[in-house]
Amino acid sequence: MSGRLDKWLSQSLGVSRSTARVLIRGGRVAVDGRPVHQADTRLEPGMQVSCDDQPLTPPQSRSGYWMMHKPLGYLSATYDDHQPTVIDLLPASMHAGIQVAGRLDKDSSGLLLLTTDGAWSHRLRRPGHHRKVYRLWLAEPVDAAMQQAWLRGVELRSDGCARALAVEVLGPCEVRMTIDEGRYHQVRRMCAAAGNHVLALHREEVAGIVLDAELQPGQWRALRAEEIARVDA
Ligand code: URA
């Protein structure tokens, strides 16, 4: 264990860095039994941190959970011989055991969840359990018949029927679509099946976890405890 106290605390508790600083300034955090008030206090290996008199576990001994604003052009994979992956955007210290919890295709942007907790990732990906919200920009205008087709369900080639839970028309060629499955290129294929073509696709939300507007493409942050808990057991 080493590094700044506020960063350590935010990772250990799964809270934002600003919440960690509030806890520190409020005198609720102690290092080796002595209250500290400085967010930039340096921690050295072997030091014991507590909050409200409860000893805390070092962040690296727990599972990690992050959200990333996936940029266009990156594969949602841990490794690829030829193309850049989202893992290339993370420091090497985060690579061990990390996996993508629900892929986003190379030409799409937006919310991508990453974790070292295989069971959490598995629960998140179960069809029918967690809603995913996508914003899409289309080549052709959306009419009422197309909207109804998505809501009733469209036939995907050799892959059965796929249905949208909600379709909000935001402009002539712009839509917000909610689905609760994660089949291969599902939204693009649903649009093609309804006679349209996706020009751009951006994921805004998964399981009630909303992409943080502060994150620029390529940036990430640790999930907060309440965000991790949105993925039901
Ligand atoms: N649907 C798609 O077509 N692509 C994605 O990345 C996710 C959903």
Side-chain angles (χ1 to χ4, degrees), residues 28-146:
R28 295 167 62 181
V29 177
V31 175
D32 287 340
R34 277 189 298 279
V36 286
H37 296 90
Q38 299 298 323
D40 62 357
T41 299
R42 299 295 305 174
L43 295 175
E44 299 300 338
M47 286 179 160
Q48 175 64 58
V49 181
S50 57
C51 181
D52 294 337
D53 297 319
Q54 296 298 315
L56 298 179
T57 322
Q60 61 270 31
S61 67
R62 297 169 152 222
S63 294
Y65 306 85
W66 300 271
M67 70 162 71
M68 176 187 279
H69 184 162
K70 180 194 171 295
L72 296 174
Y74 285 78
L75 291 181
S76 299
T78 44
Y79 178 77
D80 190 85
D81 270 337
H82 305 291
Q83 303 185 69
T85 76
V86 291
I87 304 300
D88 297 331
L89 297 165
L90 304 172
S93 59
M94 285 174 69
H95 289 191
I98 201 163
Q99 52 181 271
V100 174
R103 289 163 184 256
L104 200 48
D105 71 57
K106 184 182 166 201
D107 300 320
S108 298
S109 61
L111 176 64
L112 190 70
L113 298 173
L114 299 151
T115 183
T116 57
D117 181 344
W120 187 84
S121 170
H122 180 74
R123 292 201 303 278
L124 181 73
R125 287 182 282 114
R126 278 177 306 172
H129 283 260
H130 297 294
R131 291 177 173 228
K132 299 162 188 170
V133 182
Y134 295 89
R135 184 135 177 204
L136 25 152
W137 290 263
L138 296 154
E140 307 295 334
V142 176
D143 58 20
M146 198 174 284

Side-chain angles (χ1 to χ4, degrees), residues 103-105 108 134 185-189 201 203:
R103 289 163 184 256
L104 200 48
D105 71 57
S108 298
Y134 295 89
H185 285 192
Q186 180 166 337
V187 174
R188 292 178 191 275
R189 289 159 72 212
L201 181 61
R203 185 152 67 195

Side-chain angles (χ1 to χ4, degrees), residues 131-135 176-178 202-206:
R131 291 177 173 228
K132 299 162 188 170
V133 182
Y134 295 89
R135 184 135 177 204
R176 178 174 287 122
M177 184 184 285
T178 304
H202 181 81
R203 185 152 67 195
E204 297 182 327
E205 189 178 324
V206 176

